[in-house]
C-alpha cells in the first residue's frame, strides 16, 4: 500500500519504519527541515532500540522516504497517518494546532479517495473536526470524493516501541465505515497473525480509549507513590508491600513501582487533557486531578530528601545524577523527574555531574547555559560522575545502574550517601560499604528530621 505519514517523532518514525518493513511504500513528511535532512542521510534523530536499523534497511530497499513536500506525499497516498505532536496548552488542554494544520494540507491537496488515520493522542471529537476541515478544503476546490477519517490510537512504549508496534496488545480502529475497517484490517494483517488483536469501535470511543489507558497507568503509579509516602512515615517497606499486592492478579506487578514520579510526553499531558475535557463537559474529575498533583509532588521528593540531608545547605555541593531520560531505553527527557531535581539543585546553589546512557545529547541541547556556567557537567560514564561528588541521586532505572561497584561509590562520594529515586540498588550491599541509602517509601523517614 502507498502510505504517507505526517510527523517523524517517536510515533511517526516507528510507525513508518514498521509499515515499510511489512512491504508498504511509506513517505514520511515533517515540517522540520533539519530533521528531514538528517533522516534522508540515514541518521535517526531519536534513540529507540532497533529503530535506526529498521529505518536504514527500508530506506535502502526504497520503501521508506522522507520529505518536506506535503503535496507530493498527499498525491501518492492511499492511506495517510497523522502522527504529529499534541502538546498541552497552558490550561492542560491539548493543543491541536499541528493536527489541524495537517488536516488543512490534506484538504488543500487531496484529489482522490483516501483513508486518513489519526494516530496522535487527541481529545474526543477531534476526528469530527479533522473530517470537517478536510471536506471543506475539498469542497472549496469544487471536488467531491470519499475520505474516511479513522481513529487508530498508538499504544507503543518508548524504549520498546518497535517490539510493541510489531506485537501489539491491541489494534484499536475507531470508525463506522465498513470499507475503512477493511483497509485497516489489510494494512495491519502482518501484525495480527498470531491471534486477532483488532478491536473496532466508534471513533469517539477509540479516541477516549487511549486517554483512559494512560490515565489508568498514571493512576497506578500515583497510587503507589501515595502508599510509599505513607509507608516511610509509619515504618513500612513499600518494596515488600509491592510484592505482596502485585501477587493478586486483580492488581498485577506492572506499574506499581514507587519512585520519583512519572514523566514523558504522554502521561502528564494526557491526564491533564482528560481532566480539562471533563471540566468542559461539566464534570469535576477529582481523581485525575489528584493523580497529577501527587505526581507533581513526587517529582520534587528527591530534592527534598537531598536538601534535608544536607541541612538545607546545598550551596557549593556537587551531586552526581545517574539517569536523565524519563525512563530507560530512551533519550526522551520530556517532563523527566531528573529535570525537576537538577533545576532545584541549581536553584539551591549546587552543581550536577550527570550521566545517562542515551540522553547526554538531549541534556546538552536542553541545558547549554548550565553547561557553559559549570552548573551541569556531563560525565563520560556513571563512575566518572561520582568522582568529587558529595552524593549520588538516581533518577532513571537503567539496567546498567542496577549492579554498581559499591566500593567505588563509597570511595568517591565525600558524604557516602545515595538517594535512590527508583529503589533499584541493593540496600544491604550499600550498607556493607558504609553508605547511607535513602530510597522511596522504605520505612525510613529519618531524612525528614
Ligand atoms: N511518544 C510516545 O511514546 C507516544 C505514544 C503513543 C502516542 N503518542 C502520541 O502521538 C503523537 C506524537 O507523539 P511523538 O512523541 O511522536 O511527538 P514528537 O513531538 O516526537 O514528534 C512530532 C513531530 O511532528 C512534526 N510536525 C508538527 N507539525 C507538523 C505538520 N504540520 N506536518 C508534519 N509534521 C509536523 C514535528 O516537527 C515533530 O517532528 C502525540 O499526540 C502523542 O501524544 C506518543
Amino acid at each position: 500500500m502507498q502510505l504517507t505519514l505526517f510527523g517523524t517523532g517517536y510515533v511517526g518514525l516507528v510507525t513508518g519504519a514498521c509499515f515499510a518493513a511489512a512491504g508498504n511504500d511509506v513517505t514520511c513528511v515533517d515540517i522540520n527541515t533539519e530533521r528531514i535532512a538528517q533522516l534522508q542521510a540515514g541518521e535517526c534523530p531519536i534513540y529507540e532500540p532497533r529503530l535506526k536499523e529498521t529505518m536504514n534497511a527500508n530506506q535502502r530497499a526504497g520503501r521508506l522516504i522522507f520529505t518536506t513536500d506535503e503535496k507530493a506525499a498527499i498525491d501518492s497516498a492511499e492511506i495517510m497517518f497523522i502522527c504529529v505532536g499534541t502538546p498541552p496548552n497552558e490550561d492542560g488542554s491539548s493543543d491541536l494546532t499541528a493536527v489541524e494544520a495537517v488536516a488543512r494540507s490534506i484538504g488543500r491537496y487531496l484529489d482522490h479517495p483516501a483513508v486518513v488515520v489519526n494516530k496522535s493522542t487527541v481529545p474526543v471529537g477531534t476526528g469530527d473536526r479533522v473530517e470537517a476541515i478536510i471536506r471543506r478544503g475539498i469542497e472549496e476546490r469544487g471536488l467531491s470524493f470519499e475520505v474516511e477519517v479513522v481513529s487508530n490510537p498508538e499504544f507503543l512504549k518508548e524504549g520498546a516501541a518497535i517490539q510493541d508496534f510489531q506485537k501489539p496488545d491491541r489494534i484499536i480502529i475507531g470508525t463506522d465505515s465498513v470499507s475503512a475497517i477493511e483497509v485497516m484490517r489489510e494494512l495491519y494483517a502482518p501484525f495480527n497473525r498470531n491471534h486477532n488483536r483488532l478491536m473496532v469501535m466508534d471513533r469517539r470511543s477509540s479516541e477516549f480509549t487511549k486517554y483512559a489507558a494512560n490515565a489508568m497507568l498514571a493512576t497506578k503509579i500515583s497510587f503507589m507513590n501515595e502508599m510509599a509516602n505513607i509507608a516511610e512515615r509509619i515504618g513500612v517497606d513499600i518494596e515488600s508491600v509491592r510484592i505482596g499486592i502485585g501477587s493478586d492478579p486483580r492488581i498485577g506487578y506492572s506499574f506499581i513501582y514507587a519512585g520519583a514520579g512519572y514523566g514523558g510526553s504522554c502521561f502528564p499531558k494526557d491526564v491533564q487533557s482528560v481532566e480539562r475535557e471533563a471540566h468542559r463537559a461539566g464534570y469535576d474529575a477529582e481523581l485525575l486531578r489528584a493523580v497529577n498533583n501527587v505526581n507533581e509532588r513526587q517529582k520534587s521528593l528527591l530534592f527534598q530528601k537531598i536538601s534535608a540531608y544536607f541541612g538545607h545547605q546545598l550551596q557549593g555541593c556537587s551531586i552526581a545524577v545517574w539517569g536523565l531520560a524519563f525512563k530507560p531505553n530512551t533519550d526522551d527527557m520530556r517532563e523527566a523527574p531528573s529535570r525537576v531535581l537538577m533545576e532545584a539543585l541549581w536553584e539551591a546553589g549546587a552543581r550536577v555531574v550527570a550521566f545517562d546512557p542515551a540522553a547526554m545529547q538531549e541534556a546538552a541541547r536542553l541545558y547549554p547555559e548550565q553547561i557553559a556556567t559549570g552548573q551541569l557537567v556531563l560525565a563520560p560514564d556513571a563512575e566518572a560522575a561520582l568522582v568529587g561528588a558529595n552524593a549520588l541521586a538516581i533518577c532513571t532505572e537503567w539496567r546498567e545502574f542496577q549492579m554498581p561497584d559499591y566500593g567505588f561509590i563509597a570511595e568517591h562520594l565525600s558524604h557516602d550517601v545515595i538517594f535512590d529515586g527508583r529503589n533499584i540498588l541493593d540496600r544491604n550491599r550499600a550498607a556493607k560499604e558504609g553508605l547511607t541509602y535513602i530510597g522511596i517509601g522504605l520505612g525510613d523517614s529519618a531524612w525528614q528530621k
Side-chain angles (χ1 to χ4, degrees):
M1 291 183 177
Q2 296 284 342
L3 312 183
T4 287
L5 280 85
F6 295 89
T8 58
Y10 290 84
V11 171
L13 274 184
V14 169
T15 306
C18 290
F19 277 138
N24 299 288
D25 284 323
V26 179
T27 303
C28 292
V29 186
D30 205 297
I31 50 169
N32 183 338
T33 46
E34 210 179 304
R35 175 165 281 218
I36 289 297
Q38 233 184 325
L39 289 162
Q40 284 169 339
E43 290 163 32
C44 187
I46 55 174
Y47 174 79
E48 184 61 49
R50 290 170 50 212
L51 178 57
K52 186 172 188 304
E53 295 81 344
T54 313
M55 226 181 77
N56 291 162
N58 287 285
Q59 281 178 291
R60 280 194 299 274
R63 283 193 297 264
L64 180 61
I65 62 169
F66 297 98
T67 181
T68 52
D69 186 347
E70 292 179 332
K71 184 178 180 314
I74 292 168
D75 279 349
S76 64
E78 289 170 74
I79 309 176
M80 280 168 280
F81 282 85
I82 303 177
C83 308
V84 295
T86 47
N89 288 313
E90 203 125 287
D91 67 352
S93 62
S94 297
D95 178 351
L96 296 175
T97 311
V99 171
E100 290 177 1
V102 173
R104 276 196 299 278
S105 297
I106 297 174
R108 190 176 309 131
Y109 298 124
L110 187 67
D111 60 4
H112 57 275
V115 176
V116 175
V117 183
N118 191 15
K119 262 205 174 301
S120 297
T121 303
V122 291
V124 172
T126 304
D128 305 346
R129 275 167 81 172
V130 165
E131 188 172 321
I133 293 170
I134 295 173
R135 283 196 198 288
R136 200 178 326 124
I138 293 170
E139 275 164 27
E140 278 170 7
R141 290 181 290 130
L143 299 176
S144 172
F145 50 83
E146 264 319 299
V147 177
E148 303 290 355
V149 176
V150 175
S151 162
N152 170 218
E154 182 50 59
F155 294 94
L156 60 79
K157 299 184 284 295
E158 284 178 28
I162 297 268
Q163 191 188 326
D164 285 348
F165 196 91
Q166 288 174 335
K167 286 198 166 42
D169 296 325
R170 73 295 219 191
I171 301 159
I172 299 216
I173 306 296
T175 180
D176 297 328
S177 157
V178 175
S179 60
I181 295 168
E182 274 322 299
V183 170
M184 297 304 283
R185 201 182 290 285
E186 195 181 333
L187 179 66
Y188 274 107
F191 310 101
N192 197 31
R193 288 172 66 90
N194 178 267
H195 63 275
N196 185 27
R197 299 171 172 105
L198 212 84
M199 297 170 193
V200 180
M201 58 183 76
D202 67 90
R203 196 161 63 191
R204 296 173 79 87
S205 304
S206 167
E207 289 169 337
F208 200 63
T209 300
K210 172 67 191 176
Y211 280 114
N214 276 358
M216 176 70 186
L217 296 171
T219 301
K220 284 184 92 173
I221 297 173
S222 277
F223 170 83
M224 210 53 189
N225 284 333
E226 184 110 297
M227 291 298 115
N229 294 339
I230 299 169
E232 67 187 11
R233 286 165 174 79
I234 56 174
V236 169
D237 183 334
I238 199 68
E239 286 302 315
S240 302
V241 174
R242 177 177 68 77
I243 290 161
I245 65 171
S247 57
D248 182 337
R250 293 170 303 174
I251 297 173
Y253 285 111
S254 56
F255 278 80
I256 57 165
Y257 288 92
Y262 59 77
S265 70
C266 292
F267 290 1
K269 84 169 168 61
D270 292 351
V271 169
Q272 286 179 61
S273 179
V274 197
E275 197 266 322
R276 285 291 85 196
E277 214 176 328
H279 180 77
R280 269 203 297 271
Y283 179 76
D284 181 14
E286 271 184 86
L287 177 61
L288 297 181
R289 215 171 31 255
V291 166
N292 184 55
N293 290 343
V294 166
N295 192 58
E296 285 302 304
R297 199 170 55 189
Q298 203 69 12
K299 282 163 100 173
S300 64
L301 190 58
L302 264 187
F303 174 74
Q304 285 168 29
K305 291 189 178 208
I306 295 170
S307 182
Y309 188 86
F310 286 95
H312 305 289
Q313 298 295 323
L314 286 166
Q315 189 70 40
C317 274
S318 179
I319 307 296
V321 172
W322 281 2
L324 297 172
F326 84 94
K327 67 171 179 177
N329 297 317
T330 182
D331 60 351
D332 197 342
M333 287 179 64
R334 288 180 281 188
E335 307 279 336
S338 65
R339 297 179 66 174
V340 176
L341 171 63
M342 292 196 296
E343 286 165 23
L345 287 170
W346 294 327
E347 182 75 14
R351 89 185 183 122
V352 171
V353 186
F355 174 73
D356 186 282
M360 302 299 264
Q361 240 181 319
E362 182 62 359
R365 189 186 69 81
L366 290 168
Y367 296 115
E369 268 172 45
Q370 288 78 2
I371 290 173
T373 57
Q375 286 172 295
L376 174 62
V377 175
L378 297 177
D381 56 53
E383 292 195 338
L386 302 169
V387 179
N390 296 80
L392 166 64
I394 300 176
C395 292
T396 317
E397 63 277 31
W398 281 94
R399 202 176 286 276
E400 68 180 78
F401 297 154
Q402 298 187 16
M403 283 185 66
D405 179 341
Y406 290 92
F408 188 90
I409 299 178
E411 196 182 316
H412 286 88
L413 293 182
S414 62
H415 282 68
D416 288 346
V417 55
I418 300 174
F419 299 90
D420 186 350
R422 298 295 170 193
N423 291 351
I424 54 172
L425 297 195
D426 183 330
R427 290 173 245 179
N428 299 327
R429 295 279 303 278
K432 264 190 209 143
E433 297 293 340
L435 289 157
T436 301
Y437 178 82
I438 296 173
I440 307 284
L442 301 181
D444 174 10
S445 58
W447 64 274
Q448 290 174 329
K449 297 193 182 107

